[in-house]
Amino acid sequence: MIEIERFGDGVTCIKTASPLEGQAIMWVYAYQVGEVVFDAGCWNAVEELRAYSKKHRVKRVYVTHNHEDHYGGSAAFLPEAKVFAGPVTLASMCNPYPLPEFFQFVWGLPEPVLEGQKLTTPSIEVDDFSFEVVDLSGHCEEMVGFWEPNRRWFFSADAVPLPSRKQMAMPEENIPKMIRRMQEIQEREIEVLFDGHRGPILKPHDHIETRIQFLSDLKNQVQQLVAEGKTIQEIKALLAFPEPWYLPNTEGRFAVDHLIRSLSED
Ligand SMILES: [Zn+2]
Protein backbone atom coordinates (compact mmCIF):
# COMPACT_ATOMS: atom_id res chain seq x y z
CA MET A 1 0.00 0.00 0.00
CA ILE A 2 1.04 3.59 -0.58
CA GLU A 3 0.18 6.99 0.91
CA ILE A 4 1.38 10.33 -0.41
CA GLU A 5 1.70 13.42 1.81
CA ARG A 6 3.05 16.84 0.94
CA PHE A 7 5.46 18.44 3.37
CA GLY A 8 5.72 22.22 3.15
CA ASP A 9 6.94 23.59 -0.15
CA GLY A 10 9.25 21.17 -1.82
CA VAL A 11 9.05 17.70 -0.27
CA THR A 12 6.61 14.86 -0.97
CA CYS A 13 6.49 11.96 1.48
CA ILE A 14 6.02 8.59 -0.27
CA LYS A 15 4.93 6.13 2.41
CA THR A 16 4.84 2.41 1.58
CA ALA A 17 3.94 -0.64 3.65
CA SER A 18 2.22 -4.01 3.57
CA PRO A 19 -1.38 -3.97 4.77
CA LEU A 20 -2.73 -6.09 7.59
CA GLU A 21 -6.51 -5.87 7.96
CA GLY A 22 -6.45 -2.59 6.04
CA GLN A 23 -3.77 -0.95 8.22
CA ALA A 24 -0.08 -0.48 7.43
CA ILE A 25 2.04 -2.94 9.43
CA MET A 26 4.82 -0.33 9.47
CA TRP A 27 5.45 2.60 7.13
CA VAL A 28 8.76 3.26 5.44
CA TYR A 29 9.27 6.74 3.97
CA ALA A 30 10.82 7.72 0.67
CA TYR A 31 10.95 11.43 -0.15
CA GLN A 32 10.67 13.29 -3.45
CA VAL A 33 12.30 16.67 -4.08
CA GLY A 34 11.93 17.86 -7.68
CA GLU A 35 12.78 14.98 -9.99
CA VAL A 36 14.79 13.22 -7.26
CA VAL A 37 13.61 10.53 -4.82
CA PHE A 38 15.56 9.56 -1.71
CA ASP A 39 15.10 5.83 -0.96
CA ALA A 40 12.80 3.51 -2.88
CA GLY A 41 10.18 2.09 -0.52
CA CYS A 42 9.39 -1.60 -0.10
CA TRP A 43 8.87 -4.36 -2.66
CA ASN A 44 5.33 -5.16 -1.50
CA ALA A 45 4.24 -1.75 -2.85
CA VAL A 46 6.16 -2.03 -6.14
CA GLU A 47 3.08 -1.68 -8.40
CA GLU A 48 1.84 1.43 -6.57
CA LEU A 49 5.37 2.86 -6.70
CA ARG A 50 5.52 2.19 -10.45
CA ALA A 51 2.32 4.17 -10.99
CA TYR A 52 3.60 6.98 -8.74
CA SER A 53 6.95 7.16 -10.54
CA LYS A 54 5.33 7.48 -13.97
CA LYS A 55 2.87 10.13 -12.83
CA HIS A 56 5.43 12.26 -10.98
CA ARG A 57 8.28 12.03 -13.49
CA VAL A 58 10.96 10.69 -11.17
CA LYS A 59 14.35 10.90 -12.92
CA ARG A 60 16.84 9.96 -10.20
CA VAL A 61 16.59 7.72 -7.14
CA TYR A 62 19.25 7.70 -4.40
CA VAL A 63 19.09 4.65 -2.12
CA THR A 64 20.52 5.14 1.37
CA HIS A 65 21.32 1.56 2.39
CA ASN A 66 20.84 -2.12 1.70
CA HIS A 67 17.89 -2.95 3.95
CA GLU A 68 14.94 -4.35 2.02
CA ASP A 69 12.49 -1.68 3.22
CA HIS A 70 14.69 1.05 1.69
CA TYR A 71 15.98 -0.47 -1.56
CA GLY A 72 13.15 -2.96 -2.23
CA GLY A 73 11.08 -0.71 -4.50
CA SER A 74 14.00 0.34 -6.76
CA ALA A 75 12.69 -1.65 -9.74
CA ALA A 76 9.54 0.50 -9.79
CA PHE A 77 11.47 3.57 -10.97
CA LEU A 78 13.19 1.89 -13.93
CA PRO A 79 13.76 2.47 -16.76
CA GLU A 80 12.57 6.11 -16.65
CA ALA A 81 14.78 6.97 -13.67
CA LYS A 82 18.40 6.20 -12.86
CA VAL A 83 18.95 4.51 -9.50
CA PHE A 84 22.10 5.39 -7.55
CA ALA A 85 23.59 3.77 -4.43
CA GLY A 86 26.87 2.89 -2.75
CA PRO A 87 28.70 -0.33 -3.73
CA VAL A 88 27.41 -2.46 -0.80
CA THR A 89 23.83 -1.42 -1.49
CA LEU A 90 24.24 -2.04 -5.24
CA ALA A 91 25.48 -5.57 -4.50
CA SER A 92 22.33 -6.30 -2.47
CA MET A 93 20.14 -4.83 -5.20
CA CYS A 94 21.75 -7.16 -7.77
CA ASN A 95 21.57 -10.16 -5.47
CA PRO A 96 19.00 -9.64 -2.68
CA TYR A 97 19.95 -11.44 0.52
CA PRO A 98 17.58 -14.22 1.65
CA LEU A 99 14.90 -13.06 4.08
CA PRO A 100 13.06 -14.92 6.84
CA GLU A 101 9.38 -15.39 6.03
CA PHE A 102 8.45 -12.72 8.57
CA PHE A 103 10.32 -9.98 6.66
CA GLN A 104 8.99 -11.24 3.32
CA PHE A 105 5.54 -10.66 4.80
CA VAL A 106 6.33 -7.24 6.29
CA TRP A 107 8.32 -5.74 3.36
CA GLY A 108 8.59 -8.28 0.55
CA LEU A 109 11.52 -10.05 -1.10
CA PRO A 110 12.80 -7.69 -3.81
CA GLU A 111 13.50 -8.90 -7.32
CA PRO A 112 17.10 -8.25 -8.44
CA VAL A 113 17.88 -4.85 -9.97
CA LEU A 114 20.98 -4.93 -12.15
CA GLU A 115 20.73 -1.39 -13.56
CA GLY A 116 21.81 0.50 -10.42
CA GLN A 117 24.68 2.96 -10.74
CA LYS A 118 27.40 3.83 -8.27
CA LEU A 119 26.83 7.03 -6.33
CA THR A 120 30.11 8.89 -6.71
CA THR A 121 29.26 12.59 -6.31
CA PRO A 122 29.77 14.36 -2.95
CA SER A 123 26.56 16.34 -3.52
CA ILE A 124 23.25 16.06 -5.37
CA GLU A 125 21.85 19.05 -7.22
CA VAL A 126 18.13 19.36 -7.87
CA ASP A 127 16.31 22.60 -8.73
CA ASP A 128 17.60 25.21 -6.26
CA PHE A 129 18.70 22.61 -3.72
CA SER A 130 22.14 21.17 -3.11
CA PHE A 131 22.28 18.08 -0.93
CA GLU A 132 25.56 17.01 0.64
CA VAL A 133 25.96 13.21 0.69
CA VAL A 134 26.78 12.30 4.32
CA ASP A 135 28.34 9.05 5.57
CA LEU A 136 25.93 7.48 8.08
CA SER A 137 27.51 4.03 8.38
CA GLY A 138 26.81 2.49 11.78
CA HIS A 139 23.22 1.31 11.37
CA CYS A 140 24.82 -0.95 8.77
CA GLU A 141 28.13 -1.21 6.95
CA GLU A 142 27.19 1.45 4.40
CA MET A 143 24.50 4.10 4.71
CA VAL A 144 24.28 7.66 3.41
CA GLY A 145 22.11 10.62 4.34
CA PHE A 146 21.44 13.91 2.56
CA TRP A 147 21.92 17.37 4.05
CA GLU A 148 20.50 20.57 2.58
CA PRO A 149 22.22 23.42 4.49
CA ASN A 150 20.01 26.33 3.33
CA ARG A 151 16.75 24.74 4.45
CA ARG A 152 18.55 22.83 7.23
CA TRP A 153 16.91 19.61 6.07
CA PHE A 154 18.50 16.26 6.91
CA PHE A 155 17.34 13.03 5.26
CA SER A 156 18.56 10.53 7.83
CA ALA A 157 17.20 7.09 6.73
CA ASP A 158 17.67 4.83 9.79
CA ALA A 159 20.45 6.79 11.53
CA VAL A 160 18.22 7.80 14.45
CA PRO A 161 16.53 4.79 16.11
CA LEU A 162 12.75 4.71 16.04
CA PRO A 163 12.24 3.87 19.75
CA SER A 164 13.54 6.31 22.35
CA ARG A 165 14.98 3.29 24.17
CA LYS A 166 16.59 0.99 21.60
CA GLN A 167 16.62 -2.43 23.22
CA MET A 168 17.57 -4.75 20.36
CA ALA A 169 19.76 -4.62 17.29
CA MET A 170 20.68 -6.32 14.03
CA PRO A 171 24.03 -8.13 13.74
CA GLU A 172 25.40 -5.55 11.29
CA GLU A 173 24.64 -2.60 13.57
CA ASN A 174 27.63 -0.88 15.18
CA ILE A 175 25.90 0.90 18.07
CA PRO A 176 28.86 2.98 19.33
CA LYS A 177 29.30 4.23 15.75
CA MET A 178 25.56 4.99 15.58
CA ILE A 179 25.94 7.14 18.71
CA ARG A 180 28.83 9.06 17.12
CA ARG A 181 26.82 9.57 13.91
CA MET A 182 23.91 10.99 15.91
CA GLN A 183 26.30 13.35 17.70
CA GLU A 184 27.57 14.52 14.28
CA ILE A 185 23.98 15.00 13.10
CA GLN A 186 23.24 17.14 16.18
CA GLU A 187 26.06 19.53 15.27
CA ARG A 188 24.15 20.58 12.15
CA GLU A 189 21.27 22.24 14.04
CA ILE A 190 18.62 20.67 11.88
CA GLU A 191 15.28 22.30 11.15
CA VAL A 192 13.60 19.15 9.78
CA LEU A 193 14.80 15.57 10.18
CA PHE A 194 13.31 13.38 7.43
CA ASP A 195 13.32 10.03 9.25
CA GLY A 196 13.00 6.75 7.36
CA HIS A 197 10.12 5.45 9.47
CA ARG A 198 8.74 8.32 11.52
CA GLY A 199 8.47 10.86 8.70
CA PRO A 200 9.42 14.55 9.00
CA ILE A 201 10.35 15.65 12.54
CA LEU A 202 10.43 19.43 13.14
CA LYS A 203 13.25 20.79 15.32
CA PRO A 204 14.49 17.28 16.15
CA HIS A 205 17.21 18.21 18.66
CA ASP A 206 15.47 16.75 21.73
CA HIS A 207 14.28 13.71 19.79
CA ILE A 208 17.86 12.86 18.80
CA GLU A 209 19.35 13.79 22.20
CA THR A 210 17.04 11.34 24.02
CA ARG A 211 18.33 8.51 21.86
CA ILE A 212 22.01 9.53 22.19
CA GLN A 213 21.62 9.71 25.95
CA PHE A 214 19.86 6.36 26.34
CA LEU A 215 22.41 4.49 24.21
CA SER A 216 25.41 6.28 25.76
CA ASP A 217 24.22 5.40 29.28
CA LEU A 218 23.58 1.82 28.19
CA LYS A 219 27.07 1.63 26.67
CA ASN A 220 28.63 2.72 29.97
CA GLN A 221 26.53 0.23 31.89
CA VAL A 222 27.39 -2.67 29.56
CA GLN A 223 31.11 -1.83 29.54
CA GLN A 224 31.13 -1.65 33.35
CA LEU A 225 29.55 -5.11 33.53
CA VAL A 226 32.05 -6.48 30.98
CA ALA A 227 34.89 -5.07 33.10
CA GLU A 228 33.42 -6.94 36.06
CA GLY A 229 33.69 -10.16 34.03
CA LYS A 230 30.05 -10.62 33.09
CA THR A 231 29.16 -12.52 29.90
CA ILE A 232 26.72 -11.28 27.24
CA GLN A 233 24.08 -13.69 28.55
CA GLU A 234 24.58 -12.52 32.15
CA ILE A 235 24.29 -8.88 31.07
CA LYS A 236 21.15 -9.70 29.11
CA ALA A 237 19.60 -11.29 32.20
CA LEU A 238 20.54 -8.27 34.34
CA LEU A 239 19.10 -5.74 31.87
CA ALA A 240 15.90 -7.81 31.50
CA PHE A 241 14.69 -5.83 28.46
CA PRO A 242 11.17 -6.86 27.44
CA GLU A 243 11.22 -8.82 24.16
CA PRO A 244 8.44 -8.10 21.64
CA TRP A 245 6.19 -10.97 20.50
CA TYR A 246 7.64 -11.02 16.98
CA LEU A 247 11.28 -11.39 18.04
CA PRO A 248 11.43 -15.19 17.46
CA ASN A 249 9.94 -14.64 13.96
CA THR A 250 12.97 -12.55 12.97
CA GLU A 251 15.08 -15.75 13.21
CA GLY A 252 17.92 -13.93 14.96
CA ARG A 253 17.97 -10.86 12.74
CA PHE A 254 16.82 -8.74 15.69
CA ALA A 255 18.17 -9.63 19.14
CA VAL A 256 19.09 -8.07 22.47
CA ASP A 257 22.38 -10.03 22.26
CA HIS A 258 23.48 -8.10 19.14
CA LEU A 259 22.94 -4.81 20.96
CA ILE A 260 24.93 -5.86 24.05
CA ARG A 261 27.75 -7.39 22.00
CA SER A 262 28.13 -4.27 19.87
CA LEU A 263 28.18 -1.98 22.95
CA SER A 264 30.73 -4.21 24.66
CA GLU A 265 33.14 -4.19 21.70
CA ASP A 266 33.75 -0.45 21.34
ZN1 LIG B 1 17.81 0.00 7.90
Side-chain angles (χ1 to χ4, degrees):
M1 62 194 293
I2 193 165
E3 262 184 33
I4 307 303
E5 287 171 6
R6 291 284 297 172
F7 179 85
D9 58 333
V11 183
T12 303
C13 305
I14 309 165
K15 301 160 64 178
T16 55
S18 300
L20 183 65
E21 295 169 358
Q23 302 285 316
I25 298 174
M26 186 183 188
W27 290 115
V28 61
Y29 281 69
Y31 296 100
Q32 183 168 6
V33 179
E35 62 175 39
V36 161
V37 168
F38 297 123
D39 267 336
C42 68
W43 172 257
N44 281 352
V46 71
E47 288 310 321
E48 292 109 315
L49 282 166
R50 214 183 292 282
Y52 176 91
S53 174
K54 287 206 165 65
K55 189 172 166 197
H56 294 88
R57 299 195 187 91
V58 177
K59 294 285 180 226
R60 288 176 280 159
V61 178
Y62 294 89
V63 180
T64 58
H65 68 295
N66 76 335
H67 286 155
E68 71 278 8
D69 46 335
H70 294 258
Y71 82 84
S74 301
F77 297 92
L78 297 166
E80 290 84 1
K82 289 179 176 168
V83 178
F84 297 91
V88 175
T89 308
L90 286 177
S92 293
M93 285 164 58
C94 289
N95 187 16
Y97 46 79
L99 280 175
E101 222 170 282
F102 176 73
F103 292 101
Q104 295 188 35
F105 177 70
V106 175
W107 301 118
L109 182 62
E111 279 183 7
V113 165
L114 307 178
E115 297 90 336
Q117 301 184 31
K118 197 166 158 188
L119 170 58
T120 52
T121 53
S123 67
I124 293 163
E125 316 302 323
V126 53
D127 301 336
D128 294 333
F129 302 108
S130 181
F131 293 90
E132 181 193 339
V133 179
V134 180
D135 176 10
L136 293 180
S137 55
H139 169 65
C140 52
E141 180 189 351
E142 172 191 274
M143 185 164 81
V144 292
F146 308 101
W147 166 238
E148 212 296 323
N150 291 318
R151 296 293 187 99
R152 313 200 73 78
W153 287 345
F154 197 94
F155 292 77
S156 57
D158 289 347
V160 179
L162 197 59
S164 55
R165 301 160 64 85
K166 182 175 171 64
Q167 295 181 328
M168 56 187 183
M170 303 167 91
E172 66 265 40
E173 282 185 298
N174 180 331
I175 308 298
K177 201 171 182 183
M178 271 187 93
I179 297 169
R180 291 195 291 275
R181 293 295 182 222
M182 283 194 282
Q183 289 166 334
E184 290 165 11
I185 290 172
Q186 281 295 54
E187 288 168 13
R188 295 176 192 265
E189 293 175 18
I190 295 162
E191 189 63 29
V192 187
L193 186 80
F194 292 89
D195 186 277
H197 291 282
R198 197 175 276 259
I201 303 171
L202 294 173
K203 303 203 181 295
H205 183 274
D206 292 353
H207 173 88
I208 300 168
E209 198 58 36
T210 305
R211 285 152 178 79
I212 293 174
Q213 209 51 58
F214 176 76
L215 288 175
S216 300
D217 291 348
L218 186 62
K219 186 178 98 171
N220 293 340
Q221 193 182 355
V222 165
Q223 293 192 349
Q224 177 66 37
L225 291 166
V226 169
E228 290 169 14
K230 298 274 192 295
T231 65
I232 301 288
Q233 288 312 311
E234 286 167 340
I235 297 170
K236 185 180 168 183
L238 282 167
L239 292 173
F241 286 159
E243 298 191 356
W245 64 268
Y246 60 81
L247 206 61
N249 299 347
T250 74
E251 298 177 30
R253 198 169 177 219
F254 290 160
V256 182
D257 307 46
H258 300 322
L259 181 74
I260 299 169
R261 187 168 297 109
S262 178
L263 288 169
S264 71
E265 283 172 353
D266 192 28

